[in-house]
Amino acid sequence: MANTPDYSWPPMETRQVMGQNIKRLDGPQKSAGRAKYTSDFTRKDLLFAAYQTSPYAHARVTKVDTTPAERMPGVKAVQVVSPAGTEVQWEGTEIVAVAAVTEEIATEAVGKIKVEYEVLPHLVREDDLTKAGTHVKAAGEKTVGDPEQAFQQAEVTSDGHYGIPVVTHCCLETHGQVIEWRGDHVNCWPSTQDVTRYAGTLAPNLKVPVANIDVRMDYVGGGFGSKFAPDSWGEVCARLSQKAGGAPVKLFLDRATEQLIAGNRPSAYAKIKLGGKKDGTITAWQSESWATGGVTGGGSPPLPYIIANIPNQRQNHSAVSVNCGPQRAWRAPNNQQASYLTCCAIEDFAAKAALDPLEVFKTNLNLYAPEARRATYAWQLDKAAELAEWKQLWKLRGQGSKGAVKRGLGIGFNAWAGMGHNSQCRAIIHADGSVEIEIGTQDLGTGTRTIITQVAAETFGLPVGAVGLTIGSNQLPPDSASGGSTTVGGVSASTRKASVNALAKLYEAAAPALGVEPAQLEARGGKIQVKGGGKSLTWAEACRKIGGGGSISETGANDSRNPGGLIAAGASGIQIADVSVDTETGVVKVNRYVAVQDCGLIINPRLAESQVYGAIIMGISTALFEQRVMDEQTGRMLNADMEFYKLAGISDIGDIVVHMDIRPENDKRGVIGLGEPPAIAICAAIGNAVANAIGVRVPRIPMTPDHVLDTLDGRAV
Amino acid sequence: MKSKKDPGSSAGPNPGFSRRGFLGVGLGSGAVGVGLLEKPAVAEPAGAEVVGPQAVPVTLNINGKPVNLTLEPRVTLLDAMRNYIGLTGAKKVCDRATCGACTVMLNGKIVYSCTVLAIDAQGKEIQTIEGLAAPGELHPVSAAFWNNDAQQCGYCTPGFVMAATGFLKENPNPTDADVRHGLGGNFCRCGTYMGIRKAVLEAAETLKKGGASNG
Ligand code: FES
Ligand code: FES
């Protein structure tokens, strides 16, 4: 083809299918219980597997005696994961797995295996740095400008302590997979965020060529950043299958093990000092922060968040190593912590200066990075304030309500890249008029199926019902992991390109019948027509002109390094929490939560809103309830379950108001990911609202009654 | 009205701490109350039949059809459905009466099936999400969940649909506040509660009008 085809999105006002609130295409399957998740896998010859895990946070395995399990009828394979001599670094480490004909036998048999340990000293809490001793490592220092002088000259200075704990992903479908290893071929049904790369990651461990590994997944019950890799259980599951003569083995973590080892968000704690002028201009930042993401330390929030260009800064950060399950990416890694630490420090500065924090956030817009987003934040601050009735409801810190129940408002901000990932798509148009789209991607519940179909339908001028879609297999054109809010950009761009390429071929087939050049044709309203009106063929008639093999098959690719104009990076949002705090019981209730969010061009507003609602609800859950509670005495997690690891329920979330910022200037930028940005600022906004309500900073998330009452009684750290 | 998270008042103290002792806990949303199970395990009367530990014949009446199985007495109703019958709509998430993902109806009342033994479900009408609508059709509650985008990953959805169906039986004219209280026994990690609130109110209207689904 001589010229590159025009892939650009149709203008906002002419879109027919994109921009519509199409109902989630897999909604009927999900809401009727017919969607089959990997954990729903059933087959006559299926074996069930279970783990025995370490009860100790730090120990050396001295003996693993598997004979009691091997003797049990119904046991088909035993796989030792941590043989004698292994140093176990956290509770929940997998020691041995058993596959058996029933789940009951597998669980009982693995429990009978005798494991002995030499218990070693541990550290499982990092909240008090003075008790962490040699587990603390310097992890970065930075000085900008002249912080010393800036603090001396500051008209207002504020100080605060802030902490945000480790929380777990708590996916409702736990981590696991079904694997069948027969001969030299391995069939995998994982619960994963990365169908395309699963085989490539597993292959070296099994010493099987990637080409011999088949991966299939239709539905996944949550991931949130914790399900990118096959993990050690992928390999263990495969070996159990091999040992059992190739029968498929299902190995899913139980809830306790899921909470212990299958992912958590690193903590972050900091002492932060701000200096500035009476008018609210911030001139100096000083922070001493620390965090843990498990044994390797980890967790380094980018400070100061968004307001990155404060002219004078001194920072130092330490990493604490604890004997707890390792961190995994958690819906906007490091950003929630950074947003919390920064927004709380700004709010405390505003309170000290007796200024309205909304004004302080605005006064310092010229310090926001990147510059290009400043105008958007300015607009969003006003819009969020309007929706939250800030002017009417906000009062100076602690000067609100008279009674025991105090009301307060607080602000948080977010920023995220969300550039589309590498993705390839195949679009097939058959002579009978049917259309198929194929991409090796996955739909985490974000609506990926629906938006791919909308993009293809828009391009072909067809309704969504006319477009078939296949995803969820590594036999399809490769996509990438669904992480970092990169999927919508990747798949929408690759689908657009593949569809435009296929359509160009259809134009070539149909042009002679219409007596024009292919370039003069367009696809609209179920027709292939001459641009600007005139002659046309119905879609079906045009497809009948396809000669040769009877179908057109074209591919399209998104290259994240060279994305063209279809997609972009850089979403931003402002959120405001409105809470009531009962100062007698310490209970915090969310009255209303306002989110103003941009994410460029929106393919399906209903699904986009659902993403924002979901992110906020997950955020409210972490702000009010969630924390991993570790017992230093025993080294164990006290709430590795769902009774005491508490998630927000339907009555805990107040009213949520979402405003998608779809102004034309945002639409023009192209598609930007949305999964993480709205999940970032909730602890910040709620933490600030609580401080505003009760007149004093509750330093530690979650805003539980004990944290609130401790603060009110002057017992907080 | 009573949330699922309230322990059932008749469960009483349970010295044996057996799984059966929790039977009183996993009761449905809304005003389902207790008394659903004939005998709380604590006070197992003398002379009660002792079965197991080996597998025994079990007949479950699921979605109007008897299903004959051979199960160890320790198998829960949830595991029986998922692992032995292939009914996988109900999900195993917490496996201890906290999250509601395993919700089914037993004699028309909502229960957490992870906390009912299969042998104790014999002689009762078990309704699962698979029994709510004929293949290819959608029950009005499922349809309302779809219409209001009350699902993301969808893993909690079957449990919520069953809980909502049971809730609407007991509360055909709910307010928004009733919904918030009555569905407190189920959790969603993806955060679909806003859609669920709307879906349950919409389903209440549809059911009152005779229940045509739009599937
Ligand atoms: S699995 Fe039964 S209540 Fe959670
Ligand atoms: S939709 Fe994912 S847990 Fe509810």
Side-chain angles (χ1 to χ4, degrees):
Chain A
M1 221 176 289
N3 311 330
T4 323
D6 178 12
Y7 295 124
S8 59
W9 298 119
M12 205 175 185
E13 59 289 352
T14 69
R15 290 174 208 150
Q16 305 287 311
V17 187
M18 288 170 64
Q20 298 298 313
N21 284 323
I22 306 286
K23 289 194 283 178
R24 188 180 291 271
L25 294 178
D26 51 15
Q29 299 302 318
K30 287 176 172 171
S31 62
R34 294 172 192 143
K36 288 287 179 196
Y37 299 78
T38 299
S39 51
D40 295 335
F41 189 98
T42 44
R43 220 169 79 181
K44 272 246 153 0
D45 57 346
L46 180 66
L47 300 178
F48 297 83
Y51 272 128
Q52 183 179 148
T53 63
S54 169
Y56 300 110
H58 190 197
R60 188 169 289 106
V61 178
T62 56
K63 189 177 166 194
V64 181
D65 178 6
T66 57
T67 39
E70 276 152 10
R71 283 202 204 110
M72 264 184 75
V75 170
K76 296 294 180 191
V78 178
Q79 175 75 21
V80 177
V81 188
S82 305
T86 309
E87 186 179 334
V88 164
Q89 298 267 29
W90 53 82
E91 180 198 8
T93 302
E94 317 91 288
I95 307 295
V96 57
V98 166
V101 293
T102 69
E103 193 171 342
E104 295 76 37
I105 294 174
T107 311
E108 185 178 343
V110 84
K112 286 189 171 166
I113 291 173
K114 291 197 192 74
V115 183
E116 289 171 17
Y117 301 86
E118 175 198 345
V119 178
L120 302 168
H122 61 247
L123 179 84
V124 295
R125 290 185 57 164
E126 79 292 10
D127 49 342
D128 185 350
L129 200 58
T130 62
K131 293 187 180 147
T134 57
H135 288 250
V136 185
K137 295 246 164 358
E141 258 186 10
K142 179 172 147 189
T143 307
V144 178
D146 188 344
E148 230 73 1
Q149 198 189 31
F151 277 111
Q152 271 167 22
Q153 291 171 355
E155 295 163 0
V156 181
T157 57
S158 63
D159 273 288
H161 284 250
Y162 315 96
I164 178 166
V166 172
V167 296
T168 69
H169 293 70
C170 200
C171 305
L172 291 202
E173 181 181 42
T174 62
H175 285 63
Q177 63 289 304
V178 175
I179 293 183
E180 176 182 44
W181 188 350
R182 263 186 221 285
D184 59 359
H185 207 92
V186 185
N187 290 322
C188 306
W189 294 268
S191 175
T192 185
Q193 294 179 235
D194 191 355
V195 166
T196 291
R197 267 181 299 191
Y198 189 90
T201 318
L202 190 62
N205 299 336
L206 303 187
K207 304 204 170 43
V208 168
V210 180
N212 290 13
I213 302 182
D214 228 63
V215 180
R216 290 291 314 270
M217 184 190 74
D218 289 332
Y219 295 97
V220 51
F224 314 109
S226 69
K227 286 184 180 168
F228 289 128
D231 285 307
S232 58
W233 37 87
E235 183 184 343
V236 169
C237 189
R239 298 212 175 280
L240 287 168
S241 170
Q242 191 189 36
K243 284 187 176 173
V249 172
K250 177 175 167 182
L251 173 58
F252 274 79
L253 302 185
D254 61 22
R255 177 55 51 189
T257 311
E258 176 77 13
Q259 296 291 68
L260 288 168
I261 67 171
N264 59 68
R265 178 188 77 182
S267 60
Y269 297 87
K271 280 188 262 181
I272 301 174
K273 187 169 159 189
L274 282 190
K277 301 192 189 140
K278 280 192 201 130
D279 69 357
T281 309
I282 295 170
T283 57
W285 166 285
Q286 181 179 312
S287 61
E288 283 164 61
S289 54
W290 70 97
T292 192
V295 171
T296 55
S300 49
L303 296 175
Y305 187 63
I306 298 179
I307 180 166
N309 299 335
I310 296 176
N312 305 288
Q313 300 179 28
R314 168 161 296 124
Q315 304 188 25
N316 73 63
H317 182 72
S318 306
V320 187
S321 155
V322 294
N323 296 105
C324 300
Q327 64 162 322
R328 295 185 174 206
W330 204 98
R331 205 168 186 175
N334 286 321
N335 280 244
Q336 290 147 10
Q337 300 92 322
S339 181
Y340 176 70
L341 298 176
T342 305
C343 294
C344 291
I346 296 175
E347 157 83 22
D348 285 352
F349 176 78
K352 190 75 178 290
L355 293 169
D356 177 345
L358 181 72
E359 296 308 321
V360 174
F361 274 92
K362 284 206 257 180
T363 304
N364 292 286
L365 273 167
N366 65 326
L367 303 177
Y368 289 21
E371 234 179 289
R373 313 299 301 140
R374 287 175 191 164
T376 302
Y377 283 114
W379 185 88
Q380 292 181 338
L381 279 160
D382 285 335
K383 186 72 195 172
E386 174 199 323
L387 293 171
E389 300 175 271
W390 183 275
K391 291 232 151 58
Q392 299 88 304
L393 297 175
W394 180 83
K395 303 276 168 354
L396 259 185
R397 181 180 281 197
Q399 294 184 9
S401 357
K402 287 267 183 313
V405 177
K406 314 274 189 198
R407 188 169 185 180
L409 268 62
I411 303 175
F413 53 23
N414 69 56
W416 190 255
M419 173 61 87
H421 61 213
N422 289 345
S423 173
Q424 295 181 39
C425 171
R426 185 182 299 124
I428 306 166
I429 305 173
H430 295 289
D432 69 354
S434 59
V435 174
E436 289 176 83
I437 300 293
E438 299 178 343
I439 311 187
T441 192
Q442 49 278 322
D443 187 338
L444 270 53
T446 47
T448 306
R449 280 187 175 89
T450 313
I451 58 103
I452 292 172
T453 309
Q454 282 183 266
V455 168
E458 176 75 43
T459 308
F460 295 133
L462 295 172
V464 287
V467 176
L469 172 67
T470 311
I471 63 168
S473 158
N474 68 336
Q475 307 303 308
L476 300 171
D479 191 62
S480 305
S482 288
S485 305
T486 59
T487 306
V488 67
V491 300
S492 63
S494 67
T495 303
R496 175 71 176 171
K497 289 179 177 174
S499 304
V500 167
N501 292 344
L503 195 57
K505 286 278 160 34
L506 183 64
Y507 291 160
E508 285 173 22
L514 292 165
V516 293
E517 288 300 307
Q520 286 171 265
L521 295 178
E522 64 178 4
R524 279 187 82 75
K527 285 187 193 143
I528 301 298
Q529 63 191 29
V530 178
K531 277 182 201 162
K535 289 210 278 184
S536 69
L537 294 174
T538 65
W539 177 263
E541 286 164 353
C543 292
R544 280 200 288 274
K545 308 286 180 207
I546 299 171
S551 48
I552 291 166
S553 174
E554 289 293 314
T555 56
N558 181 54
D559 175 355
S560 61
R561 287 158 311 169
N562 185 18
L566 291 173
I567 60 175
S572 39
I574 295 289
Q575 302 186 352
I576 294 180
D578 171 347
V579 306
S580 290
V581 185
D582 185 326
T583 52
E584 286 169 356
T585 63
V587 170
V588 176
K589 282 195 107 139
V590 176
N591 303 316
R592 178 164 59 185
Y593 197 94
V594 170
V596 178
Q597 186 67 48
D598 93 284
C599 65
L601 184 156
I602 292 181
I603 298 170
N604 185 322
R606 176 205 302 262
L607 297 180
E609 258 177 38
S610 286
Q611 280 293 292
V612 182
Y613 282 137
I616 292 167
I617 290 167
M618 196 172 193
I620 291 174
S621 188
T622 61
L624 296 185
F625 306 116
E626 293 180 45
Q627 57 183 327
R628 180 177 76 185
V629 181
M630 298 304 301
D631 177 34
E632 194 54 61
Q633 197 70 29
T634 59
R636 304 192 66 174
M637 179 175 173
L638 297 177
N639 56 348
D641 51 40
M642 290 177 72
E643 296 99 292
F644 301 105
Y645 188 90
K646 193 162 160 12
L647 300 182
I650 195 167
S651 64
D652 296 320
I653 57 167
D655 286 318
I656 299 171
V657 178
V658 172
H659 180 88
M660 296 308 297
D661 181 1
I662 51 170
R663 291 171 295 150
E665 56 261 50
N666 290 334
D667 185 88
K668 271 206 309 256
R669 300 168 63 214
V671 177
I672 305 171
L674 181 63
E676 10 255 298
I680 291 168
I682 299 100
C683 289
I686 289 182
N688 281 342
V690 170
N692 177 245
I694 64 174
V696 36
R697 167 70 51 191
V698 178
R700 296 227 168 138
I701 291 289
M703 294 290 143
T704 51
D706 61 326
H707 283 168
V708 171
L709 294 179
D710 277 356
T711 305
L712 287 170
D713 293 349
R715 287 192 301 265
V717 190
Chain B
M1 201 177 291
K2 178 163 156 19
S3 124
K4 274 193 198 174
K5 279 177 274 186
D6 302 331
S9 51
S10 80
N14 178 20
F17 202 70
S18 76
R19 189 156 200 151
R20 302 190 67 190
F22 279 101
L23 290 179
V25 180
L27 297 176
S29 55
V32 172
V34 286
L36 185 58
L37 296 143
E38 281 149 18
K39 20 183 186 180
V42 233
E44 197 77 63
E49 193 197 353
V50 175
V51 293
Q54 73 288 352
V56 294
V58 172
T59 302
L60 297 177
N61 187 344
I62 300 198
N63 300 325
K65 288 197 202 94
V67 182
N68 296 314
L69 301 162
T70 308
L71 296 177
E72 293 181 44
R74 60 179 161 176
V75 175
T76 62
L77 175 58
L78 176 64
D79 285 343
M81 295 188 302
R82 289 180 59 80
N83 295 346
Y84 295 85
I85 310 176
L87 291 175
T88 56
K91 305 291 187 245
K92 180 144 134 182
V93 168
C94 70
D95 204 23
R96 44 209 277 195
T98 304
C99 75
C102 62
T103 303
V104 299
M105 277 192 242
L106 212 53
N107 282 349
K109 307 271 186 185
I110 293 301
V111 296
Y112 291 144
S113 65
C114 68
T115 318
V116 175
L117 290 173
I119 53 168
D120 279 342
Q122 296 185 97
K124 303 194 167 95
E125 296 279 332
I126 303 160
Q127 192 182 25
T128 73
I129 187 147
E130 288 87 351
L132 276 192
E137 285 177 18
L138 280 187
H139 184 271
V141 175
S142 298
F145 270 62
W146 185 31
N147 294 340
N148 293 282
D149 206 34
Q151 71 259 294
Q152 288 191 29
C153 83
Y155 209 70
C156 70
T157 310
F160 260 110
V161 167
M162 291 308 286
T165 305
F167 167 78
L168 288 172
K169 276 186 163 184
E170 309 273 342
N171 307 273
N173 296 300
T175 62
D176 188 49
D178 296 338
V179 173
R180 292 182 198 203
H181 186 67
L183 290 179
N186 290 59
F187 288 121
C188 171
R189 187 42 152 169
C190 300
T192 58
Y193 299 137
M194 295 296 285
I196 293 172
R197 288 176 182 172
K198 287 193 238 153
V200 177
L201 294 176
E202 181 188 304
E205 292 305 315
T206 325
L207 288 167
K208 271 187 282 182
K209 286 189 214 128
S213 84
N214 74 346

